[in-house]
Amino acid sequence: MVNDQDRAAAMAQVAAEIRVCTTCELCRTRTQAVPGEGPATARILLVGEGPGWHEDQQGKPFIGNSGKFLSELLASAGVSREEVFITNVVKCRPPSNRDPMPDEIAACAEFLDRQIAILDPEIVVTLGRFSMARWFPGERISRIHGQAKRDGRRMIVPMYHPAAALHQGALRPVIEEDFARLPKILGEVERFREAEAMKSREEPRIQQQSLF
Ligand code: URA
């Protein structure tokens, strides 16, 4: 992806395809699809589970109670909601907020893959077990929450779903502490990306030197 304009156009194209998608059964019961929201230049991507009632009505992710809490968590970590991209594993609301089914997650995975490829985010934050399962299959959130794992050019950070912390007060300080680590993790990614960029600038020079 060459420039910011191309990125924004590519994200808009994915969103347009999501809005008319009929690949799985969820299209029959949705009011509207919820592609995701945020700048195409976002350094942090947050991936939730699926739209709830409010999101389905308005076509935007995380705008209900857990969305408000998510904005607070980001703000307390010094990150504004406007600078991150927020989406979900499934882009259409499962009826009565039931769990998304494996075939629905699989049908929607291509959209998430494309969003990740376009954004090339430094950090992916997973919110809840369905997005965690994509990068940490078989893991338990109580064991790995807040622990960043490197995945190629980025870090994946599994977090509790904000709704879980709203329901269980004891999780509140835990999720707050986990979010507070984000700036440090961004710094780590910046350093390893810079080291890699330096290496790729050096390599042609070293190869040339070894010719003589
Ligand atoms: N919960 C989610 O996982 N995603 C939303 O968009 C809203 C609530």
Side-chain angles (χ1 to χ4, degrees):
M1 202 60 55
V2 227
N3 62 42
D4 295 353
Q5 242 183 345
D6 289 348
R7 266 180 211 245
M11 285 304 262
Q13 171 65 32
V14 175
E17 289 175 39
I18 292 170
R19 286 192 191 97
V20 297
C21 177
T22 55
T23 310
C24 84
E25 289 291 301
L26 294 180
C27 69
R28 295 174 185 268
T29 46
R30 73 180 177 217
T31 306
Q32 57 188 311
V34 183
E37 187 175 52
T41 49
R43 300 172 69 191
I44 301 177
L45 167 67
L46 296 112
V47 186
E49 187 172 311
W53 187 86
H54 294 283
E55 291 78 16
D56 173 72
Q57 292 292 309
Q58 293 189 41
K60 294 179 176 181
F62 280 95
I63 50 167
N65 284 339
S66 44
K68 280 195 203 102
F69 184 40
L70 179 61
S71 302
E72 283 169 33
L73 287 165
L74 287 166
S76 71
V79 178
S80 92
R81 182 172 167 135
E82 286 66 41
E83 66 184 284
V84 302
F85 195 93
I86 306 178
T87 189
N88 285 298
V89 167
V90 294
K91 317 296 192 196
C92 297
R93 182 190 180 214
S96 317
N97 295 346
R98 65 155 169 75
D99 288 347
M101 309 275 203
D103 63 316
E104 294 159 354
I105 295 173
C108 227
E110 184 221 317
F111 291 130
L112 185 55
D113 291 342
R114 286 167 65 194
Q115 288 173 318
I116 294 170
I118 296 163
L119 286 168
D120 187 22
E122 287 164 58
I123 296 180
V124 176
V125 174
T126 70
L127 301 169
R129 62 197 160 105
F130 294 99
S131 77
M132 181 179 73
R134 184 188 157 114
W135 286 276
F136 304 89
E139 268 295 358
R140 298 177 72 84
I141 189 66
S142 56
R143 207 183 73 80
I144 63 164
H145 66 89
Q147 294 173 31
K149 177 181 93 167
R150 185 163 171 185
D151 177 29
R153 286 172 52 73
R154 63 191 113 260
M155 291 289 210
I156 316 295
V157 192
M159 305 276 200
Y160 279 104
H161 194 287
L166 283 179
H167 293 130
Q168 299 175 58
L171 284 182
R172 219 182 156 104
V174 177
I175 195 172
E176 282 168 357
E177 231 174 81
D178 289 347
F179 267 79
R181 295 204 183 108
L182 287 176
K184 188 165 163 261
I185 300 168
L186 270 181
E188 280 170 42
V189 180
E190 225 169 88
R191 278 193 293 281
F192 69 61
R193 285 195 176 188
E194 181 51 35
E196 267 166 22
M198 243 167 74
K199 212 167 98 189
S200 61
R201 282 196 297 269
E202 292 282 308
E203 259 159 20
R205 213 154 52 90
I206 294 166
Q207 272 167 10
Q208 253 187 348
Q209 279 169 352
S210 67
L211 291 176
F212 300 100

